[in-house]
Amino acid sequence: MTVTEVPTSAGGNPIGFGRMLRKEDARFLRGQGHYIDDMDMPGMLHGAILRSPVAHAYIKSIDTSAAEAHPKVKAVITGATLETLGLAWVPTLSYDTAAVLATDKVRFQGQEVAFVIAEDKYSARDALELIDVEYEILPPVVDAKKALDPGAPVIRTDKEGKTDNHIFDWEAGDEAKCDAAFAKADVIVSQDMLYPRVHPSPMETCGAVALMDKVTGQLTIWCTSQAPHAHRTIYALVAGLPEQKIRVVTNDIGGGFGNKVGIYSGYVLAIVGSIVTGKPVKWVEDRSEHLMSTAFARDYHMHGEIAATKEGKILGVRVNVLADHGCFNGTAQPTKFPAGFFHIFTGSYDYEAAHCKVTGVYTNKAPGGVAYACSFRITEAVYLVERLVDCLADEMKIDPAQLRLQNLLRAEQFPYTTPTGWEYDSGNYGPTLLEAMRIAGYDELRAEQRGRRERRAAGDTSEPLMGIGLSFFTEGVGAGPRKHMDILGLGMADGAELRVHPTGKAQLRLSCISQGQGHQTTFAQIVAQELGIPPEDVEVIQGDTDNTPFGLGTYGSRSTPVSGGAAAIVARRVRDKARVVAAAALECSPDDLEWKLGRWQVKGDPEKGKTIQEIAMLSHSSLELPDGVEGHLDGTCVYNPPNLTYPFGAYICVTDVDPGTGEVKVRRFIAVDDCGPRINPMIVEGQVHGGLADGVGMALMQVIAFDEEGNNLGGSFMDYLLPTSMECPSWELGETITPSPHHPLGVKGVGESATVGSPPAVVNSVLDAIQVRHADMPLTPAQVWRAMQGNPFRTDLAIT
Amino acid sequence: MQVTLNVNGQEVSRDVEPRLLLIHFLRDHLRLTGSHWGCDTSNCGVCVVWMDGEPVKSCTVLTAMADGRSIRTVEDLEQGGALAPIQQGFMNMHGLQCGFCTPAMMMTGQALLDRNPDPSTDEIREAICGTICRCTGYENIVRAIRWAAENATENTEVSV
């Protein structure tokens, strides 16, 4: 992409791409954000959910009489109530079913059992204590590796004829070709690895306010949704409510990270509660409820193998995965792909053969699985291949940077079709890795490491161990092409509507929804770039299904790749229409006009022209327009992306490890991202920063483990550790720019790149420091210390 | 029980339950929703407000404990229509994304600057480590507080 000088608005902002302070900050800085728990309405009631204290049990009885007698309680809803409405069980996003409230039995600790509606939230919580549930305890399935054992307790007894905990088998790639590649290999390295269950944990938990107007039949639900339009359609399909009378509104969201894609029991219960009471009902969960019941991520037990020649040329990769999906298969991902986009695990390297098999199983754990900035399981895929490459480097005693440089795809191979069928749109990988190595001072770091090792070998133990870890990732974002991708039958195209008002000020209506990504600013910049009007003149409207076009929402880094494409195209359509209007006003042919900096002007006579603002007024005026040209200056577009976009990057992590305690300090982290041109570099860098912190958290701290009784061991922030300012280094960023050939703006999306790419860099660094082939995340001091003793533990279970 | 406290310079008297948490009093009773609630265990720190000039996690303070005290929240940072330097710093350095932890981060950062007008980045990191941010990776929050330190002006900032 040629770099052109971007003009500046009177407000000092770029009319197009460039650093621009965020429009949304004005309200957040003043404490005037509008999050779900900030809502208050006259007569609003408050709901609270009673949850199962055990992982697996029959419900023998539920006595709600004492709770109903509480003076401030308005209603108590149980699974039996919902059965009468046909809402006790609802479809999941993966064509399974899930209980809104448990009826027959509970299947995970924290499962929803009853819903109390009271005048205030303290009373609602009090009344939960008054509900008496009698459970008959069943043995739980905690260890995914034992879920398919003969005689394992069957979790889904609600499914007729179900005699085991098997969900699906799925495979991708060419097994025979892969076997042939392995047969001719000089070196084969195998490694078991777990990407443990983690939870996205946005700082705002999930919540909803529902209001059913019984007179008009209008249902309004304000909620923490990353996909308001999808929610509306699903409510209509599941509950049989007329879709034209359902309005889903999402105002500000306090972080999403994929956790807020799905529909939770609490949302449905708030709706039912409003139907029952005739009042608005608010439900906002507490932190433990959030951690124990809402969408988790990962939980992939992987056995990977990598094959290479003795010269270090990688020939193939194969992997078997045991996927723990919890007790309901509720993953949120394109329907055709039960393992998400995991089969992109061939990564950034050039080899012919690859194969994966994935088996999904039920366990007595919360449902979910695709959440947390994972780009539909590319996180797991990148971790697998980047760990395997390091294992191969370790086996062959090759520098891991050298091994990567030797095998990275070359620029001339793009567009590149992977062994499992993805078509990478564009890439130029080598320079990106070299840039990361340059910023890091890679050779100097290795020299420093050698020095430390030599001094330690000579008996000087005063310095910590030093590790240098790399990862190179290829992401696939912007789901997606309708012919390949839908969720519950809804194709993943996004609409956009642009209205240019008579004075030349514009409103852009989008289906996606910001959770902190800065859409109000970035999308205004897109319109500014295409129409030549100041970004401060463009208002971006999102989150209200009554007021925005249909589309599938914000997750999988899809906003800029999909809605961004829609925004660019709709602006171009408006620009084309403006040309016709300008020609009518200038009494010339549209072909005689050329576009320059927000103005249609006569070729060869630039004095004669009309600005977009003048054209906007003319469009709404009495100016006579050519036959067939309607007035006004509005446009609509539905953008169906022809392919995913494939951002990529090279990350280097430097750690110091205390061999006495196992404590890891991330000393430096270098991240070079290539996401194509950057609409707002400030926002892009912020997105990368956040994802890097996530990577450090997952690699070193975060895990949701379970004990043998199925108790959730990560059910509060005292147990589920998130990185603070003390665990995070000062990030060092770089960039290369390889545009997408098919996106209207060449941009590729970046929201999840760092979360996807950074965990293996941290893990590779720690393992490089302690010179151990593998240990599973999180690399807590205990795990690092145990790994150094040759005895790493399983991080998904209680430590033994 | 009856409590009387000064909130953002205004005296407030209310009859409240003894168990009422300060964060709920501020948010639900006074409708000062700029301070947020994020966990029940004093770990996340998005509820930080000032009590007698000290940053406290208001999910772990009973309203009764604030009786007779002065509380200051994010709503009081802007004075006379001008943003405080700490607010300007967060905007200029992109120190916020979803905005949920931002009020707590700014109150914590300002409390640090009141005690230490020229903190090092290490001192800033230590000061803010009681509040979790999931969006920014902290780097730009550190830069935002440094910006406020370097651009401190007296006319937009009023101490409690």
Side-chain angles (χ1 to χ4, degrees):
Chain A
M1 175 159 284
T2 51
V3 179
T4 50
E5 198 169 321
V6 177
T8 303
S9 74
N13 293 311
I15 302 178
F17 292 8
R19 187 181 199 270
M20 171 179 164
L21 301 184
R22 298 200 321 168
K23 293 172 161 228
E24 38 274 272
D25 289 358
R27 62 181 186 276
F28 295 138
L29 291 168
R30 292 172 171 85
Q32 299 296 321
H34 191 28
Y35 305 95
I36 190 68
D37 198 30
D38 300 341
M39 279 197 71
D40 194 16
M41 298 175 76
M44 188 173 77
L45 301 174
H46 298 263
I49 294 175
L50 180 73
R51 293 175 182 276
S52 171
V54 296
H56 200 193
Y58 285 118
I59 296 175
K60 304 298 286 183
S61 64
I62 303 179
D63 182 355
T64 60
S65 55
E68 284 163 7
H70 188 288
K72 292 194 172 178
V73 168
K74 297 296 183 187
V76 180
I77 293 165
T78 64
T81 323
L82 295 182
E83 276 181 325
T84 65
L85 300 168
L87 287 174
W89 289 82
V90 296
T92 70
L93 295 177
S94 294
Y95 289 98
D96 194 2
T97 51
V100 175
L101 289 175
T103 51
D104 52 339
K105 63 180 185 179
V106 290
R107 291 173 173 81
F108 68 95
Q109 188 189 41
Q111 188 178 346
E112 302 82 358
V113 174
F115 187 60
V116 168
I117 301 158
E119 289 174 17
D120 64 84
K121 64 186 173 194
Y122 280 46
S123 297
R125 296 263 161 182
D126 289 343
L128 295 183
E129 306 285 326
L130 301 174
I131 299 174
D132 190 16
V133 184
E134 189 185 350
Y135 294 104
E136 180 185 323
I137 307 291
L138 296 165
V141 178
V142 175
D143 184 348
K145 292 185 171 183
K146 296 177 180 169
L148 297 179
D149 284 357
V154 178
I155 296 166
R156 295 305 298 276
T157 44
D158 56 294
K159 289 173 172 293
E160 200 170 321
K162 187 74 179 158
T163 58
D164 61 23
N165 297 310
H166 181 263
I167 305 176
F168 67 86
D169 288 309
W170 187 78
E171 59 183 294
D174 186 330
E175 188 169 19
K177 200 171 171 188
C178 197
D179 288 347
F182 272 73
K184 65 182 177 187
D186 301 311
V187 185
I188 295 174
V189 180
S190 304
Q191 185 61 55
D192 283 316
M193 59 185 89
L194 167 67
Y195 207 131
R197 177 176 283 236
V198 289
H199 192 280
S201 290
M203 294 319 296
E204 180 204 37
T205 61
C206 298
V209 177
L211 175 59
M212 170 61 93
D213 184 323
K214 283 187 178 169
V215 176
T216 63
Q218 171 78 36
L219 171 68
T220 308
I221 177 157
W222 296 264
C223 64
T224 46
S225 172
Q226 295 180 223
H229 287 276
H231 279 206
R232 185 193 66 207
T233 302
I234 291 167
Y235 289 134
L237 292 172
V238 169
L241 296 168
E243 194 172 6
Q244 80 278 17
K245 287 181 181 289
I246 303 172
R247 179 183 177 201
V248 178
V249 184
T250 299
N251 292 308
D252 290 321
I253 303 182
F257 313 111
N259 175 259
K260 293 168 177 169
V261 172
I263 292 177
Y264 292 119
S265 292
Y267 304 168
V268 178
L269 291 166
I271 294 170
V272 173
S274 184
I275 292 171
V276 169
T277 63
K279 303 281 188 185
V281 173
K282 179 196 268 191
W283 165 79
V284 177
E285 66 194 352
D286 69 26
R287 180 58 59 183
S288 287
E289 294 181 279
H290 183 69
L291 283 166
M292 292 173 73
S293 71
T294 65
F296 75 95
R298 330 287 192 246
D299 223 341
Y300 259 32
H301 298 258
M302 303 182 278
H303 176 77
E305 293 181 282
I306 187 166
T309 67
K310 60 182 184 298
E311 292 81 24
K313 168 71 185 147
I314 300 173
L315 299 171
V317 170
R318 59 190 177 198
V319 54
N320 272 296
V321 179
L322 181 67
D324 185 339
H325 280 227
C327 68
F328 309 119
N329 186 21
T331 55
Q333 64 202 1
T335 301
K336 270 188 199 170
F337 305 101
F341 296 169
F342 180 76
H343 55 303
I344 201 170
F345 67 89
T346 59
S348 313
Y349 307 104
D350 178 25
Y351 43 87
E352 283 179 14
H355 182 251
C356 73
K357 284 183 189 166
V358 183
T359 298
V361 296
Y362 292 118
T363 61
N364 285 111
K365 302 173 190 173
V370 173
Y372 205 173
C374 70
S375 300
F376 304 119
R377 297 207 190 273
I378 296 179
T379 321
E380 291 93 321
V382 166
Y383 181 73
L384 173 92
V385 68
E386 290 305 300
R387 275 274 55 237
L388 282 179
V389 168
D390 256 41
C391 289
L392 180 65
D394 184 46
E395 179 75 21
M396 301 186 72
K397 306 297 172 210
I398 304 175
D399 182 280
Q402 191 54 48
L403 184 60
R404 285 179 171 83
L405 285 169
Q406 183 181 342
N407 285 282
L408 283 174
L409 290 164
R410 299 178 311 280
E412 64 272 20
Q413 290 176 279
F414 293 88
Y416 172 78
T417 302
T418 76
T420 52
W422 301 93
E423 190 183 306
Y424 293 175
D425 58 347
S426 61
N428 190 10
Y429 292 175
T432 306
L433 179 51
L434 290 171
E435 174 67 359
M437 293 168 70
R438 183 193 67 77
I439 295 171
Y442 188 76
D443 293 341
E444 293 80 0
L445 287 170
R446 285 291 178 203
E448 182 188 353
Q449 184 186 47
R450 277 195 301 278
R452 280 208 202 176
R453 285 178 177 169
E454 284 163 12
R455 287 191 291 278
R456 182 165 286 271
D460 176 2
T461 58
S462 63
E463 295 169 302
L465 306 175
M466 177 181 170
I468 304 157
L470 295 91
S471 71
F472 197 103
F473 68 91
T474 300
E475 263 265 65
V477 305
R482 290 178 61 199
K483 64 182 174 183
H484 298 309
M485 293 172 193
D486 69 86
I487 293 180
L488 282 184
L490 302 172
M492 301 185 79
D494 281 2
E497 294 175 10
L498 181 62
R499 299 179 190 169
V500 182
H501 297 325
T503 57
K505 316 288 184 186
Q507 288 185 325
L508 177 69
R509 289 172 159 75
L510 297 171
S511 59
C512 58
I513 174 74
S514 180
Q515 307 124 41
Q517 295 93 332
H519 289 182
Q520 272 187 278
T521 308
T522 298
F523 284 89
Q525 290 185 263
I526 292 174
V527 173
Q529 157 118 344
E530 298 301 325
L531 280 190
I533 64 176
E536 52 266 39
D537 287 355
V538 184
E539 194 66 20
V540 175
I541 296 166
Q542 313 186 294
D544 181 346
T545 57
D546 271 8
N547 209 14
T548 54
F550 189 85
L552 276 227
T554 292
Y555 45 84
S557 301
R558 66 187 298 282
S559 294
T560 309
V562 188
S563 281
I569 289 173
V570 76
R572 288 172 191 177
R573 285 183 183 167
V574 165
R575 191 173 70 200
D576 288 345
K577 181 169 179 181
R579 182 183 201 166
V580 177
V581 175
L586 294 165
E587 297 180 336
C588 65
S589 161
D591 293 339
D592 296 335
L593 299 177
E594 61 182 359
W595 176 254
K596 193 154 188 201
L597 295 177
R599 192 166 175 271
W600 282 111
Q601 62 192 33
V602 176
K603 291 175 189 168
D605 188 6
E607 294 292 306
K608 285 182 71 179
K610 294 288 180 190
T611 65
I612 198 81
Q613 289 85 356
E614 290 167 337
I615 297 167
M617 187 59 83
L618 289 166
S619 308
H620 292 81
S621 74
S622 58
L623 173 72
E624 195 169 333
L625 297 172
D627 285 347
V629 178
E630 296 173 339
H632 303 177
L633 197 55
D634 304 336
T636 64
C637 165
V638 177
Y639 182 66
N640 175 29
N643 188 7
L644 300 183
T645 55
Y646 293 86
F648 55 92
Y651 292 172
I652 298 176
C653 178
V654 184
T655 55
D656 289 321
V657 179
D658 182 334
T661 64
E663 187 182 7
V664 176
K665 173 82 182 166
V666 178
R667 194 208 307 178
R668 291 179 65 195
F669 200 109
I670 295 90
V672 178
D673 274 89
D674 191 324
C675 55
R678 298 182 174 197
I679 298 169
N680 185 325
M682 177 190 83
I683 287 177
V684 170
E685 287 178 11
Q687 294 288 296
V688 174
H689 284 170
L692 296 176
D694 269 328
V696 167
M698 284 182 280
L700 301 181
M701 303 166 74
Q702 297 168 221
V703 64
I704 302 280
F706 292 82
D707 72 10
E708 64 272 16
E709 292 177 342
N711 292 306
N712 187 317
L713 302 177
S716 81
F717 279 166
M718 288 188 289
D719 306 297
Y720 185 66
L721 303 181
L722 298 170
T724 74
S725 51
M726 300 301 281
E727 284 78 42
C728 295
S730 179
W731 317 108
E732 301 169 60
L733 305 191
E735 69 172 321
T736 56
I737 300 173
T738 309
S740 168
H742 64 78
H743 189 282
L745 300 168
V747 299
K748 288 190 165 187
V750 75
E752 296 166 328
S753 286
T755 314
V756 166
S758 59
V762 181
V763 171
N764 287 344
S765 179
V766 174
L767 296 176
D768 181 53
I770 64 177
Q771 295 178 276
V772 167
R773 175 67 63 85
H774 182 77
D776 286 328
M777 298 184 285
L779 295 171
T780 58
Q783 174 73 324
V784 171
W785 192 84
R786 282 271 295 261
M788 292 180 72
Q789 317 309 313
N791 188 26
F793 52 80
R794 271 186 66 177
T795 51
D796 57 329
L797 305 173
I799 299 171
T800 53
Chain B
M1 63 180 293
Q2 193 72 21
V3 294
T4 301
L5 51 164
N6 185 299
V7 180
N8 295 337
Q10 304 252 311
E11 193 169 285
V12 176
S13 283
R14 289 284 195 286
D15 187 29
V16 301
E17 282 190 74
R19 63 175 174 170
L20 182 68
L21 299 175
L22 179 59
I23 183 65
H24 291 148
F25 177 71
L26 294 170
R27 289 180 49 81
D28 300 338
H29 293 237
L30 302 185
R31 298 296 302 157
L32 291 170
T33 55
S35 306
H36 298 128
W37 167 92
C39 73
D40 303 295
T41 50
S42 248
N43 293 97
C44 85
V46 300
C47 60
V48 168
V49 300
W50 287 7
M51 187 156 74
D52 289 345
E54 288 287 333
V56 295
K57 292 183 174 177
S58 61
C59 77
T60 330
V61 175
L62 294 167
T63 312
M65 295 159 69
D67 188 27
R69 311 280 202 112
S70 287
I71 303 297
R72 191 177 185 216
T73 70
V74 66
E75 285 88 352
D76 196 45
L77 284 178
E78 185 185 18
Q79 294 288 334
L83 292 180
I86 192 80
Q87 292 170 301
Q88 293 170 14
F90 271 72
M91 183 168 209
N92 289 346
M93 304 314 289
H94 189 31
L96 69 156
Q97 290 180 30
C98 82
F100 205 72
C101 76
T102 312
M105 286 291 188
M106 291 192 301
M107 296 308 287
T108 305
Q110 188 57 54
L112 169 68
L113 295 177
D114 286 351
R115 287 152 185 75
N116 179 359
D118 187 26
S120 68
T121 56
D122 282 350
E123 288 169 332
I124 293 171
R125 284 183 179 274
E126 193 169 345
I128 63 171
C129 76
T131 297
I132 296 171
C133 171
R134 301 289 290 142
C135 297
T136 65
Y138 303 103
E139 175 65 23
N140 285 350
I141 293 178
V142 174
R143 292 177 188 170
I145 296 171
R146 268 307 306 168
W147 189 97
E150 289 162 14
N151 294 275
T153 51
E154 288 177 10
N155 57 334
T156 57
E157 189 49 44
V158 177
S159 61
V160 171

